[in-house]
Amino acid sequence: MEGMELVAFNIISNAGTAKSLVMEALYAAREGRYEEAENKLKESLQYLTEGHKAHHQLIQEEASGNNLTFSLLIMHAEDQMMSVETINDLVKEMIRMYKDIHYLKGEISKN
């Protein structure tokens, strides 16, 4: 069980960092700092990937025939990952919207 807890905390930590970076990307885009926003999104993907790797360890463990006990902590970790993925998709669309708004206001040229 201790190993599962460490994996869960690894997933939660990486998902939390990824979410923070995604939100920072949105705030940068709101201010018209699109290169910074793109860099934040790329960095967030690295953390989300690390979370997925940790999650994959659990899946491989169970696929190998080792029964894993039900864990609210793992459920929470999975929920955090899924939330970040959803937020990431929405933020990407919002960044496109900010670009359109800034373009319509004459603040940037069309890319």
Side-chain angles (χ1 to χ4, degrees):
M1 180 63 160
E2 184 177 312
M4 278 184 49
E5 288 173 354
L6 289 175
V7 172
F9 284 123
N10 185 354
I11 294 168
I12 292 166
S13 174
N14 280 295
T17 301
K19 179 182 175 187
S20 294
L21 288 163
V22 168
M23 294 308 297
E24 288 176 22
L26 179 62
Y27 304 145
R30 181 176 58 200
E31 300 298 322
R33 299 187 320 267
Y34 296 109
E35 186 175 341
E36 179 182 340
E38 290 301 319
N39 289 336
K40 296 283 185 183
L41 287 176
K42 286 177 188 171
E43 187 178 357
S44 75
L45 185 58
Q46 293 171 349
Y47 285 95
L48 192 55
T49 300
E50 286 304 310
H52 277 291
K53 286 178 185 177
H55 187 249
H56 187 71
Q57 288 175 340
L58 293 178
I59 293 170
Q60 283 185 316
E61 180 88 12
E62 190 163 306
S64 297
N66 298 325
N67 288 333
L68 303 178
T69 58
F70 174 79
S71 166
L72 283 175
L73 194 56
I74 293 296
M75 259 181 68
H76 175 66
E78 290 174 332
D79 182 54
Q80 293 302 302
M81 273 196 328
M82 290 188 320
S83 295
V84 173
E85 290 171 345
T86 301
I87 292 166
N88 185 53
D89 291 342
L90 291 172
V91 164
K92 284 179 182 178
E93 187 60 32
M94 292 174 77
I95 289 172
R96 285 188 205 108
M97 291 168 54
Y98 274 131
K99 283 182 178 179
D100 289 344
I101 290 168
H102 289 151
Y103 170 73
L104 291 171
K105 287 179 157 184
E107 297 171 354
I108 64 170
S109 60
K110 192 72 171 175
N111 293 351

